[in-house]
PDB file of all heavy atoms in Angstrom:
ATOM      1  N   PRO A   1       0.801  -1.234   0.000  1.00 98.00           N
ATOM      2  CA  PRO A   1       0.000   0.000   0.000  1.00 98.00           C
ATOM      3  C   PRO A   1       0.833   1.283   0.000  1.00 98.00           C
ATOM      4  O   PRO A   1       0.316   2.351  -0.355  1.00 98.00           O
ATOM      5  CB  PRO A   1      -0.828  -0.123   1.284  1.00 98.00           C
ATOM      6  CG  PRO A   1      -0.942  -1.592   1.509  1.00 98.00           C
ATOM      7  CD  PRO A   1       0.393  -2.150   1.094  1.00 98.00           C
ATOM      8  N   LEU A   2       2.106   1.187   0.383  1.00 98.00           N
ATOM      9  CA  LEU A   2       2.974   2.364   0.432  1.00 98.00           C
ATOM     10  C   LEU A   2       3.834   2.521  -0.825  1.00 98.00           C
ATOM     11  O   LEU A   2       4.497   3.540  -0.996  1.00 98.00           O
ATOM     12  CB  LEU A   2       3.903   2.284   1.643  1.00 98.00           C
ATOM     13  CG  LEU A   2       3.263   2.070   3.019  1.00 98.00           C
ATOM     14  CD1 LEU A   2       4.346   2.000   4.082  1.00 98.00           C
ATOM     15  CD2 LEU A   2       2.265   3.171   3.331  1.00 98.00           C
ATOM     16  N   VAL A   3       3.843   1.512  -1.687  1.00 98.00           N
ATOM     17  CA  VAL A   3       4.810   1.456  -2.793  1.00 98.00           C
ATOM     18  C   VAL A   3       4.432   2.422  -3.911  1.00 98.00           C
ATOM     19  O   VAL A   3       3.301   2.432  -4.397  1.00 98.00           O
ATOM     20  CB  VAL A   3       4.908   0.020  -3.341  1.00 98.00           C
ATOM     21  CG1 VAL A   3       5.748  -0.024  -4.614  1.00 98.00           C
ATOM     22  CG2 VAL A   3       5.523  -0.898  -2.280  1.00 98.00           C
ATOM     23  N   GLY A   4       5.425   3.218  -4.333  1.00 98.00           N
ATOM     24  CA  GLY A   4       5.240   4.136  -5.448  1.00 98.00           C
ATOM     25  C   GLY A   4       6.060   3.789  -6.667  1.00 98.00           C
ATOM     26  O   GLY A   4       5.817   4.316  -7.752  1.00 98.00           O
ATOM     27  N   HIS A   5       7.055   2.923  -6.503  1.00 98.00           N
ATOM     28  CA  HIS A   5       7.899   2.520  -7.628  1.00 98.00           C
ATOM     29  C   HIS A   5       8.619   1.242  -7.228  1.00 98.00           C
ATOM     30  O   HIS A   5       8.907   1.019  -6.048  1.00 98.00           O
ATOM     31  CB  HIS A   5       8.921   3.613  -7.962  1.00 98.00           C
ATOM     32  CG  HIS A   5       9.729   3.358  -9.203  1.00 98.00           C
ATOM     33  ND1 HIS A   5       9.156   3.189 -10.435  1.00 98.00           N
ATOM     34  CD2 HIS A   5      11.073   3.240  -9.396  1.00 98.00           C
ATOM     35  CE1 HIS A   5      10.108   2.998 -11.345  1.00 98.00           C
ATOM     36  NE2 HIS A   5      11.275   3.010 -10.738  1.00 98.00           N
ATOM     37  N   VAL A   6       8.898   0.403  -8.226  1.00 98.00           N
ATOM     38  CA  VAL A   6       9.562  -0.881  -8.008  1.00 98.00           C
ATOM     39  C   VAL A   6      10.814  -0.942  -8.862  1.00 98.00           C
ATOM     40  O   VAL A   6      10.825  -0.445 -10.007  1.00 98.00           O
ATOM     41  CB  VAL A   6       8.619  -2.050  -8.364  1.00 98.00           C
ATOM     42  CG1 VAL A   6       9.347  -3.390  -8.316  1.00 98.00           C
ATOM     43  CG2 VAL A   6       7.406  -2.076  -7.426  1.00 98.00           C
ATOM     44  N   GLN A   7      11.880  -1.526  -8.321  1.00 98.00           N
ATOM     45  CA  GLN A   7      13.113  -1.753  -9.081  1.00 98.00           C
ATOM     46  C   GLN A   7      13.579  -3.189  -8.868  1.00 98.00           C
ATOM     47  O   GLN A   7      13.247  -3.822  -7.875  1.00 98.00           O
ATOM     48  CB  GLN A   7      14.209  -0.764  -8.661  1.00 98.00           C
ATOM     49  CG  GLN A   7      13.907   0.673  -9.073  1.00 98.00           C
ATOM     50  CD  GLN A   7      14.950   1.643  -8.572  1.00 98.00           C
ATOM     51  OE1 GLN A   7      15.411   1.553  -7.440  1.00 98.00           O
ATOM     52  NE2 GLN A   7      15.309   2.600  -9.402  1.00 98.00           N
ATOM     53  N   ILE A   8      14.397  -3.658  -9.811  1.00 98.00           N
ATOM     54  CA  ILE A   8      14.812  -5.059  -9.792  1.00 98.00           C
ATOM     55  C   ILE A   8      16.286  -5.209 -10.143  1.00 98.00           C
ATOM     56  O   ILE A   8      16.872  -4.368 -10.828  1.00 98.00           O
ATOM     57  CB  ILE A   8      13.983  -5.911 -10.772  1.00 98.00           C
ATOM     58  CG1 ILE A   8      14.141  -5.390 -12.220  1.00 98.00           C
ATOM     59  CG2 ILE A   8      12.521  -5.954 -10.354  1.00 98.00           C
ATOM     60  CD1 ILE A   8      13.504  -6.279 -13.280  1.00 98.00           C
ATOM     61  N   ALA A   9      16.872  -6.298  -9.661  1.00 98.00           N
ATOM     62  CA  ALA A   9      18.186  -6.802 -10.061  1.00 98.00           C
ATOM     63  C   ALA A   9      18.391  -8.128  -9.349  1.00 98.00           C
ATOM     64  O   ALA A   9      17.865  -8.346  -8.249  1.00 98.00           O
ATOM     65  CB  ALA A   9      19.316  -5.827  -9.698  1.00 98.00           C
ATOM     66  N   ARG A  10      19.137  -9.007  -9.949  1.00 98.00           N
ATOM     67  CA  ARG A  10      19.503 -10.265  -9.302  1.00 98.00           C
ATOM     68  C   ARG A  10      20.369  -9.970  -8.083  1.00 98.00           C
ATOM     69  O   ARG A  10      21.233  -9.085  -8.109  1.00 98.00           O
ATOM     70  CB  ARG A  10      20.267 -11.134 -10.297  1.00 98.00           C
ATOM     71  CG  ARG A  10      20.565 -12.551  -9.808  1.00 98.00           C
ATOM     72  CD  ARG A  10      21.619 -13.250 -10.660  1.00 98.00           C
ATOM     73  NE  ARG A  10      21.493 -12.958 -12.072  1.00 98.00           N
ATOM     74  CZ  ARG A  10      22.468 -13.157 -12.959  1.00 98.00           C
ATOM     75  NH1 ARG A  10      23.642 -13.644 -12.567  1.00 98.00           N
ATOM     76  NH2 ARG A  10      22.287 -12.869 -14.227  1.00 98.00           N
ATOM     77  N   ALA A  11      20.176 -10.695  -7.006  1.00 97.00           N
ATOM     78  CA  ALA A  11      20.950 -10.457  -5.795  1.00 97.00           C
ATOM     79  C   ALA A  11      22.437 -10.716  -6.009  1.00 97.00           C
ATOM     80  O   ALA A  11      23.284  -9.945  -5.541  1.00 97.00           O
ATOM     81  CB  ALA A  11      20.425 -11.318  -4.652  1.00 97.00           C
ATOM     82  N   ALA A  12      22.761 -11.785  -6.717  1.00 96.00           N
ATOM     83  CA  ALA A  12      24.169 -12.124  -6.969  1.00 96.00           C
ATOM     84  C   ALA A  12      24.724 -11.246  -8.082  1.00 96.00           C
ATOM     85  O   ALA A  12      24.373 -11.407  -9.249  1.00 96.00           O
ATOM     86  CB  ALA A  12      24.287 -13.594  -7.351  1.00 96.00           C
ATOM     87  N   GLY A  13      25.553 -10.287  -7.707  1.00 97.00           N
ATOM     88  CA  GLY A  13      26.232  -9.456  -8.689  1.00 97.00           C
ATOM     89  C   GLY A  13      25.446  -8.282  -9.217  1.00 97.00           C
ATOM     90  O   GLY A  13      25.962  -7.498 -10.011  1.00 97.00           O
ATOM     91  N   ARG A  14      24.204  -8.133  -8.807  1.00 98.00           N
ATOM     92  CA  ARG A  14      23.319  -7.063  -9.289  1.00 98.00           C
ATOM     93  C   ARG A  14      23.194  -7.102 -10.828  1.00 98.00           C
ATOM     94  O   ARG A  14      23.243  -6.081 -11.505  1.00 98.00           O
ATOM     95  CB  ARG A  14      23.801  -5.688  -8.825  1.00 98.00           C
ATOM     96  CG  ARG A  14      22.687  -4.644  -8.833  1.00 98.00           C
ATOM     97  CD  ARG A  14      23.088  -3.348  -8.156  1.00 98.00           C
ATOM     98  NE  ARG A  14      21.940  -2.474  -8.008  1.00 98.00           N
ATOM     99  CZ  ARG A  14      21.942  -1.324  -7.333  1.00 98.00           C
ATOM    100  NH1 ARG A  14      23.048  -0.921  -6.738  1.00 98.00           N
ATOM    101  NH2 ARG A  14      20.852  -0.597  -7.254  1.00 98.00           N
ATOM    102  N   HIS A  15      22.999  -8.311 -11.339  1.00 98.00           N
ATOM    103  CA  HIS A  15      22.892  -8.512 -12.787  1.00 98.00           C
ATOM    104  C   HIS A  15      21.430  -8.704 -13.198  1.00 98.00           C
ATOM    105  O   HIS A  15      20.511  -8.398 -12.431  1.00 98.00           O
ATOM    106  CB  HIS A  15      23.741  -9.707 -13.202  1.00 98.00           C
ATOM    107  CG  HIS A  15      25.205  -9.534 -12.946  1.00 98.00           C
ATOM    108  ND1 HIS A  15      25.897  -8.399 -13.287  1.00 98.00           N
ATOM    109  CD2 HIS A  15      26.117 -10.368 -12.374  1.00 98.00           C
ATOM    110  CE1 HIS A  15      27.169  -8.522 -12.945  1.00 98.00           C
ATOM    111  NE2 HIS A  15      27.327  -9.713 -12.390  1.00 98.00           N
ATOM    112  N   GLU A  16      21.232  -9.224 -14.409  1.00 98.00           N
ATOM    113  CA  GLU A  16      19.909  -9.441 -14.966  1.00 98.00           C
ATOM    114  C   GLU A  16      19.035 -10.267 -14.025  1.00 98.00           C
ATOM    115  O   GLU A  16      19.514 -11.203 -13.383  1.00 98.00           O
ATOM    116  CB  GLU A  16      20.011 -10.157 -16.315  1.00 98.00           C
ATOM    117  CG  GLU A  16      20.548  -9.296 -17.447  1.00 98.00           C
ATOM    118  CD  GLU A  16      22.062  -9.259 -17.525  1.00 98.00           C
ATOM    119  OE1 GLU A  16      22.729  -9.739 -16.573  1.00 98.00           O
ATOM    120  OE2 GLU A  16      22.594  -8.746 -18.517  1.00 98.00           O
ATOM    121  N   PRO A  17      17.739  -9.945 -13.935  1.00 97.00           N
ATOM    122  CA  PRO A  17      16.840 -10.690 -13.052  1.00 97.00           C
ATOM    123  C   PRO A  17      16.586 -12.098 -13.576  1.00 97.00           C
ATOM    124  O   PRO A  17      16.467 -12.323 -14.780  1.00 97.00           O
ATOM    125  CB  PRO A  17      15.550  -9.866 -13.098  1.00 97.00           C
ATOM    126  CG  PRO A  17      15.591  -9.174 -14.427  1.00 97.00           C
ATOM    127  CD  PRO A  17      17.042  -8.876 -14.674  1.00 97.00           C
ATOM    128  N   ASP A  18      16.512 -13.052 -12.657  1.00 95.00           N
ATOM    129  CA  ASP A  18      16.168 -14.432 -12.995  1.00 95.00           C
ATOM    130  C   ASP A  18      15.504 -15.053 -11.773  1.00 95.00           C
ATOM    131  O   ASP A  18      15.042 -14.350 -10.878  1.00 95.00           O
ATOM    132  CB  ASP A  18      17.394 -15.221 -13.472  1.00 95.00           C
ATOM    133  CG  ASP A  18      18.516 -15.293 -12.439  1.00 95.00           C
ATOM    134  OD1 ASP A  18      18.245 -15.058 -11.234  1.00 95.00           O
ATOM    135  OD2 ASP A  18      19.667 -15.585 -12.810  1.00 95.00           O
ATOM    136  N   ALA A  19      15.453 -16.360 -11.715  1.00 94.00           N
ATOM    137  CA  ALA A  19      14.785 -17.039 -10.600  1.00 94.00           C
ATOM    138  C   ALA A  19      15.735 -17.404  -9.467  1.00 94.00           C
ATOM    139  O   ALA A  19      15.319 -18.015  -8.480  1.00 94.00           O
ATOM    140  CB  ALA A  19      14.086 -18.299 -11.111  1.00 94.00           C
ATOM    141  N   SER A  20      17.005 -16.988  -9.557  1.00 93.00           N
ATOM    142  CA  SER A  20      18.006 -17.442  -8.590  1.00 93.00           C
ATOM    143  C   SER A  20      17.906 -16.737  -7.253  1.00 93.00           C
ATOM    144  O   SER A  20      18.487 -17.171  -6.270  1.00 93.00           O
ATOM    145  CB  SER A  20      19.412 -17.254  -9.172  1.00 93.00           C
ATOM    146  OG  SER A  20      19.711 -15.879  -9.329  1.00 93.00           O
ATOM    147  N   GLY A  21      17.200 -15.652  -7.196  1.00 90.00           N
ATOM    148  CA  GLY A  21      17.052 -14.907  -5.954  1.00 90.00           C
ATOM    149  C   GLY A  21      17.325 -13.421  -6.157  1.00 90.00           C
ATOM    150  O   GLY A  21      18.432 -13.084  -6.520  1.00 90.00           O
ATOM    151  N   PRO A  22      16.252 -12.621  -5.972  1.00 96.00           N
ATOM    152  CA  PRO A  22      14.869 -13.039  -5.778  1.00 96.00           C
ATOM    153  C   PRO A  22      14.311 -13.796  -6.991  1.00 96.00           C
ATOM    154  O   PRO A  22      14.857 -13.693  -8.087  1.00 96.00           O
ATOM    155  CB  PRO A  22      14.124 -11.713  -5.596  1.00 96.00           C
ATOM    156  CG  PRO A  22      15.172 -10.690  -5.280  1.00 96.00           C
ATOM    157  CD  PRO A  22      16.409 -11.159  -5.968  1.00 96.00           C
ATOM    158  N   ASP A  23      13.193 -14.494  -6.777  1.00 96.00           N
ATOM    159  CA  ASP A  23      12.559 -15.268  -7.841  1.00 96.00           C
ATOM    160  C   ASP A  23      11.677 -14.327  -8.656  1.00 96.00           C
ATOM    161  O   ASP A  23      10.497 -14.133  -8.355  1.00 96.00           O
ATOM    162  CB  ASP A  23      11.734 -16.404  -7.231  1.00 96.00           C
ATOM    163  CG  ASP A  23      11.124 -17.315  -8.277  1.00 96.00           C
ATOM    164  OD1 ASP A  23      11.077 -16.931  -9.458  1.00 96.00           O
ATOM    165  OD2 ASP A  23      10.685 -18.416  -7.907  1.00 96.00           O
ATOM    166  N   TYR A  24      12.259 -13.750  -9.717  1.00 96.00           N
ATOM    167  CA  TYR A  24      11.538 -12.700 -10.440  1.00 96.00           C
ATOM    168  C   TYR A  24      10.328 -13.176 -11.220  1.00 96.00           C
ATOM    169  O   TYR A  24       9.294 -12.472 -11.215  1.00 96.00           O
ATOM    170  CB  TYR A  24      12.502 -11.904 -11.317  1.00 96.00           C
ATOM    171  CG  TYR A  24      13.270 -10.913 -10.472  1.00 96.00           C
ATOM    172  CD1 TYR A  24      14.609 -11.094 -10.177  1.00 96.00           C
ATOM    173  CD2 TYR A  24      12.621  -9.826  -9.905  1.00 96.00           C
ATOM    174  CE1 TYR A  24      15.295 -10.206  -9.361  1.00 96.00           C
ATOM    175  CE2 TYR A  24      13.289  -8.928  -9.091  1.00 96.00           C
ATOM    176  CZ  TYR A  24      14.630  -9.123  -8.826  1.00 96.00           C
ATOM    177  OH  TYR A  24      15.288  -8.240  -8.005  1.00 96.00           O
ATOM    178  N   PRO A  25      10.342 -14.311 -11.892  1.00 94.00           N
ATOM    179  CA  PRO A  25       9.089 -14.739 -12.532  1.00 94.00           C
ATOM    180  C   PRO A  25       7.923 -14.776 -11.545  1.00 94.00           C
ATOM    181  O   PRO A  25       6.809 -14.343 -11.851  1.00 94.00           O
ATOM    182  CB  PRO A  25       9.441 -16.120 -13.081  1.00 94.00           C
ATOM    183  CG  PRO A  25      10.911 -16.048 -13.348  1.00 94.00           C
ATOM    184  CD  PRO A  25      11.470 -15.222 -12.224  1.00 94.00           C
ATOM    185  N   LYS A  26       8.181 -15.285 -10.348  1.00 96.00           N
ATOM    186  CA  LYS A  26       7.146 -15.321  -9.314  1.00 96.00           C
ATOM    187  C   LYS A  26       6.767 -13.907  -8.864  1.00 96.00           C
ATOM    188  O   LYS A  26       5.579 -13.581  -8.714  1.00 96.00           O
ATOM    189  CB  LYS A  26       7.639 -16.139  -8.122  1.00 96.00           C
ATOM    190  CG  LYS A  26       6.681 -16.170  -6.938  1.00 96.00           C
ATOM    191  CD  LYS A  26       7.300 -16.921  -5.754  1.00 96.00           C
ATOM    192  CE  LYS A  26       6.384 -16.850  -4.535  1.00 96.00           C
ATOM    193  NZ  LYS A  26       7.008 -17.498  -3.339  1.00 96.00           N
ATOM    194  N   LEU A  27       7.751 -13.048  -8.676  1.00 97.00           N
ATOM    195  CA  LEU A  27       7.480 -11.699  -8.189  1.00 97.00           C
ATOM    196  C   LEU A  27       6.744 -10.858  -9.223  1.00 97.00           C
ATOM    197  O   LEU A  27       5.891 -10.042  -8.869  1.00 97.00           O
ATOM    198  CB  LEU A  27       8.787 -11.023  -7.782  1.00 97.00           C
ATOM    199  CG  LEU A  27       9.380 -11.548  -6.469  1.00 97.00           C
ATOM    200  CD1 LEU A  27      10.835 -11.127  -6.336  1.00 97.00           C
ATOM    201  CD2 LEU A  27       8.570 -11.047  -5.272  1.00 97.00           C
ATOM    202  N   PHE A  28       7.027 -11.056 -10.501  1.00 97.00           N
ATOM    203  CA  PHE A  28       6.296 -10.326 -11.535  1.00 97.00           C
ATOM    204  C   PHE A  28       4.815 -10.724 -11.502  1.00 97.00           C
ATOM    205  O   PHE A  28       3.919  -9.878 -11.644  1.00 97.00           O
ATOM    206  CB  PHE A  28       6.884 -10.598 -12.916  1.00 97.00           C
ATOM    207  CG  PHE A  28       8.278 -10.056 -13.109  1.00 97.00           C
ATOM    208  CD1 PHE A  28       9.113 -10.608 -14.072  1.00 97.00           C
ATOM    209  CD2 PHE A  28       8.756  -9.007 -12.343  1.00 97.00           C
ATOM    210  CE1 PHE A  28      10.399 -10.119 -14.257  1.00 97.00           C
ATOM    211  CE2 PHE A  28      10.039  -8.505 -12.522  1.00 97.00           C
ATOM    212  CZ  PHE A  28      10.866  -9.069 -13.489  1.00 97.00           C
ATOM    213  N   ALA A  29       4.540 -12.006 -11.309  1.00 96.00           N
ATOM    214  CA  ALA A  29       3.159 -12.473 -11.195  1.00 96.00           C
ATOM    215  C   ALA A  29       2.491 -11.877  -9.958  1.00 96.00           C
ATOM    216  O   ALA A  29       1.300 -11.512  -9.984  1.00 96.00           O
ATOM    217  CB  ALA A  29       3.111 -13.992 -11.149  1.00 96.00           C
ATOM    218  N   GLU A  30       3.256 -11.755  -8.872  1.00 97.00           N
ATOM    219  CA  GLU A  30       2.698 -11.182  -7.649  1.00 97.00           C
ATOM    220  C   GLU A  30       2.389  -9.692  -7.820  1.00 97.00           C
ATOM    221  O   GLU A  30       1.376  -9.197  -7.302  1.00 97.00           O
ATOM    222  CB  GLU A  30       3.662 -11.407  -6.487  1.00 97.00           C
ATOM    223  CG  GLU A  30       3.740 -12.867  -6.057  1.00 97.00           C
ATOM    224  CD  GLU A  30       4.731 -13.108  -4.940  1.00 97.00           C
ATOM    225  OE1 GLU A  30       5.335 -12.132  -4.458  1.00 97.00           O
ATOM    226  OE2 GLU A  30       4.907 -14.277  -4.549  1.00 97.00           O
TER     227      GLU A  30
END
């Protein structure tokens, strides 16, 4: 309810998002 903007990056190395953590396919659905 407080969120005004969302950003993403893979936790390991701050690279492209994937399912390795965080699980981005799941989070996009959420």
Side-chain angles (χ1 to χ4, degrees):
L2 306 179
V3 172
H5 187 59
V6 173
Q7 291 176 318
I8 60 172
R10 187 195 322 162
R14 202 170 189 173
H15 297 313
E16 288 85 349
D18 59 19
S20 67
D23 184 344
Y24 281 108
K26 176 184 175 184
L27 286 164
F28 293 157
E30 290 178 2

